Amino acid sequence: MLRKFINRIVAVFFAISLSVFMLTGCEATRKNDDSIVLRWVTYQASDVPLDIKEVVEAANAVSKEKIGVTVNLEFQPSDKLNLMMASGEYYDMVFTSSWVNPFDKGATAGLYRDVTDLVKTETPALYDYVDPFWEAGTVNGRIYGIPLLKDMGAEEMFRINSDYFEGKKGMVIPERMNFEDIEPFLKAYKEDFPGRYPLDMTKGGIPGYMNSVERVVQTLVVLPFGEGHEASNVIPFYECDQLMDRFRLLHKWYKAGYIHPDAATIESTTSDKSIPVRFGVAWKGYQGYSNPENWGFNVKTSIYEGPFLSRSSEQGAMISICAACDDEHTKACLKYLELLSTDKRFRDILAYGIEGKHFEYLENGTVLRTDTGLSRYNTALYQTGASAAASVESVSRTFLADPDQWKGVFEEYKTDGIYSAINGFAYDQARKEDIIAALNAIYSDYKTELITGTSDPDKVLPVIKKRMEEAGMKELVEDVRQQLREWEKLNHE
């Protein structure tokens, strides 16, 4: 254990030393006409936008004039981000989150710059904008990441063909329902179309199927919402009744013929417009699921749980600054993020592209992407800044969004949000990384069939439990509980 700890420290020291070396070597290329040039690496969710160079140039013209800072924006896939972190390759700002380039892992390894004091003194408007979500970017009371405000909580919903169920069947689609309440809809459709499968399901399972619990260690160790912050409430995922009941219900629906028999191997169903019930993860007022032009019929959404707010959900998109960044460039990063968060017109450039070419402003204050924008600069908002700082997008001229959508979202979090009891706790996974790797390998053997309803959980889960306990699950859980007890003493006494 001591040798592993020493090796880890040496690796971090080497990475930071290499970064400092690269910083010195690249200094000449990071100054341009008295402006500071930042290397900003973000996550590549799909293809790199074709017009990225043109859009960044337009954004740089604005940021150079306003704050004397420009960026070289790179889109990189998750494996490249992981390699950058491991090798110590220099960057100024990098995309990090709970699901890509894991923030807690990088922050606890010392890869990110502590900006606790600078963000308050140099960019108070940025600090006020992110508040009260700074805990997501905090480890041991220090800020290492800037959360990008978006859907900070997870709301799970059904997307339902209202033309069929309400128009033809006379059924009522409520704004909210319980998960199991969709069963009569599935049954009605199956009776009318015995050869079809009414519930959309691919090998990925239900989108966000773990959002109803706090993922303390990936999907392996969880804390059910509604439980207190006591260490004893942290459990292996297979001991969570809520998750297990969900898997049992999916298997029931699978046997009833509501789920395609090959669901565990299906990559995508986007081309099949006949499926009447799909899943969604979004937020209050989101329109993307409901545009009839996309489906050929009207769609209504019905929320079945949430909004859940946890450390993992609030870390959905973040930006961290390299630990090797000097004060000048750290301040430049913060100034740039402050501008992105507080200047909507500037934010819209990186969000949607160039006005008149990639998007236009509509009379109600929302934006509409053009055909050129959809084909040449169709990025996800979180890739280039806070989603909530950009103008809201309408899906068509006749299907207009609410320009104040995000105000409603964050008000809902205050009134109806379901919060994790251990928000702010970050488990140091490096302590048991070998066990975690072994447990993930075991889970991957069963995951796809389990989350698609293909397997009977009452037969599979005992096997998973036995194998995982042999691989060290109990040791991992106890280590998590020990760290949590230490955290509780500091935060709840």
Side-chain angles (χ1 to χ4, degrees):
M1 292 298 293
L2 179 60
R3 177 174 293 180
K4 289 179 66 177
F5 175 76
I6 293 174
N7 288 341
R8 216 170 275 127
I9 294 298
V10 170
V12 172
F13 178 78
F14 172 77
I16 294 176
S17 299
L18 178 61
S19 297
V20 173
F21 170 79
M22 295 185 68
L23 172 61
T24 304
C26 296
E27 188 67 27
T29 65
R30 295 173 60 228
K31 294 270 191 175
N32 183 15
D33 298 332
D34 296 324
S35 66
I36 297 177
V37 184
L38 303 174
R39 184 191 181 197
W40 176 10
V41 183
T42 192
Y43 170 57
Q44 179 183 329
S46 54
D47 294 334
V48 176
L50 296 174
D51 287 348
I52 181 62
K53 182 178 180 181
E54 181 182 359
V55 172
V56 171
E57 286 178 353
N60 281 343
V62 176
S63 63
K64 180 179 179 180
E65 178 183 351
K66 292 196 172 187
I67 60 172
V69 179
T70 61
V71 299
N72 289 323
L73 178 59
E74 301 175 21
F75 288 77
Q76 299 290 359
S78 58
D79 56 347
K80 172 61 175 176
L81 289 175
N82 293 336
L83 183 60
M84 284 177 56
M85 297 300 105
S87 66
E89 183 178 340
Y90 188 83
Y91 57 87
D92 291 289
M93 302 189 294
V94 68
F95 180 90
T96 181
S97 67
S98 59
W99 54 286
V100 168
N101 186 23
F103 169 76
D104 287 340
K105 180 180 180 181
T108 54
L111 301 183
Y112 302 141
R113 177 73 189 262
D114 181 342
V115 297
T116 310
D117 301 319
L118 285 177
V119 74
K120 298 173 184 176
T121 59
E122 298 295 325
T123 51
L126 174 61
Y127 186 81
D128 291 342
Y129 177 76
V130 174
D131 191 59
F133 293 101
W134 281 110
E135 273 194 347
T138 301
V139 174
N140 295 327
R142 306 298 292 178
I143 297 173
Y144 296 94
I146 293 83
L148 300 179
L149 299 195
K150 52 190 286 291
D151 46 322
M152 309 303 282
E155 285 190 286
E156 319 298 322
M157 59 191 67
F158 293 114
R159 303 147 54 191
I160 306 170
N161 183 337
S162 60
D163 288 349
Y164 172 76
F165 288 111
E166 291 191 330
K168 292 185 178 180
K169 303 298 290 185
M171 303 175 76
V172 176
I173 301 174
E175 291 185 2
R176 281 188 170 269
M177 67 168 72
N178 295 321
F179 185 79
E180 60 271 17
D181 293 341
I182 197 66
E183 189 166 322
F185 293 85
L186 304 177
K187 184 174 185 293
Y189 186 89
K190 189 68 176 180
E191 289 175 349
D192 286 350
F193 303 98
R196 297 182 185 176
Y197 307 97
L199 185 62
D200 180 48
M201 187 67 69
T202 65
K203 62 187 298 184
I206 303 173
Y209 76 99
M210 293 291 289
N211 285 339
S212 60
V213 296
E214 171 68 280
R215 286 162 281 181
V216 185
V217 183
Q218 302 173 31
T219 58
L220 301 169
V221 181
V222 304
L223 175 72
F225 277 91
E227 299 290 344
H229 55 76
E230 291 78 11
S232 59
N233 292 326
V234 174
I235 55 176
F237 78 94
Y238 48 73
E239 293 181 6
C240 177
D241 292 338
Q242 182 180 0
L243 286 175
M244 298 310 103
D245 288 344
R246 182 70 49 83
F247 292 150
R248 292 186 181 99
L249 192 55
L250 287 177
H251 185 59
K252 174 187 175 183
W253 292 347
Y254 179 85
K255 291 193 298 182
Y258 304 154
I259 296 173
H260 197 288
D262 297 327
T265 61
I266 294 175
E267 295 284 348
S268 174
T269 60
T270 54
S271 62
D272 187 353
K273 305 298 185 182
S274 68
I275 300 174
V277 180
R278 294 177 180 269
F279 296 100
V281 181
W283 56 89
K284 184 181 179 69
Y286 178 71
Q287 284 190 323
Y289 293 145
S290 304
N291 186 4
E293 295 178 10
N294 292 338
W295 302 102
F297 50 78
N298 287 296
V299 175
K300 281 191 175 181
T301 58
S302 182
I303 297 171
Y304 61 81
E305 59 187 8
F308 297 107
L309 289 95
S310 65
R311 185 172 182 83
S312 52
S313 74
E314 293 178 12
Q315 290 179 345
M318 305 173 65
I319 290 177
S320 285
I321 298 170
C322 183
C325 244
D326 60 21
D327 282 351
E328 181 184 23
H329 292 87
T330 299
K331 292 175 183 178
C333 290
L334 293 173
K335 288 288 187 183
Y336 193 87
L337 294 174
E338 183 177 57
L339 186 65
L340 267 181
S341 301
T342 58
D343 187 324
K344 183 170 290 188
R345 286 280 174 158
F346 174 65
R347 173 70 188 100
D348 285 347
I349 298 174
L350 288 177
Y352 300 113
I354 298 172
E355 181 184 1
K357 179 176 182 178
H358 300 109
F359 77 97
E360 62 179 288
Y361 288 103
L362 302 180
E363 289 185 2
N364 73 334
T366 61
V367 303
L368 180 67
R369 296 182 196 259
T370 63
D371 290 340
T372 300
L374 290 171
S375 62
R376 299 188 65 85
Y377 195 76
N378 192 5
T379 63
L381 296 189
Y382 68 83
Q383 293 174 277
T384 58
S387 301
S391 295
V392 176
E393 179 184 1
S394 289
V395 296
S396 74
R397 296 184 187 279
T398 57
F399 204 62
L400 298 175
D402 179 1
D404 295 321
Q405 174 192 103
W406 289 109
K407 180 180 179 181
V409 170
F410 289 107
E411 285 179 350
E412 183 188 37
Y413 292 160
K414 291 180 181 179
T415 58
D416 301 320
I418 305 168
Y419 289 82
S420 167
I422 59 169
N423 205 359
F425 170 70
Y427 173 65
D428 182 3
Q429 298 186 26
R431 290 169 42 153
K432 300 293 178 182
E433 59 185 7
D434 293 341
I435 291 177
I436 293 171
L439 295 176
N440 275 323
I442 295 169
Y443 188 40
S444 66
D445 290 341
Y446 305 92
K447 174 184 175 181
T448 302
E449 292 193 354
L450 183 65
I451 64 179
T452 57
T454 307
S455 294
D456 182 347
D458 290 319
K459 293 181 179 179
V460 171
L461 288 168
V463 179
I464 295 176
K465 178 180 178 180
K466 182 176 185 298
R467 288 188 60 188
M468 285 192 171
E469 288 186 348
E470 291 173 349
M473 175 62 88
K474 290 184 178 180
E475 180 180 340
L476 173 63
V477 170
E478 181 50 42
D479 192 57
V480 173
R481 290 174 175 174
Q482 178 59 37
Q483 281 195 37
L484 182 54
R485 282 190 286 266
E486 295 169 0
W487 177 81
E488 288 170 349
K489 289 180 181 178
L490 293 174
N491 292 274
H492 294 90
E493 288 188 355

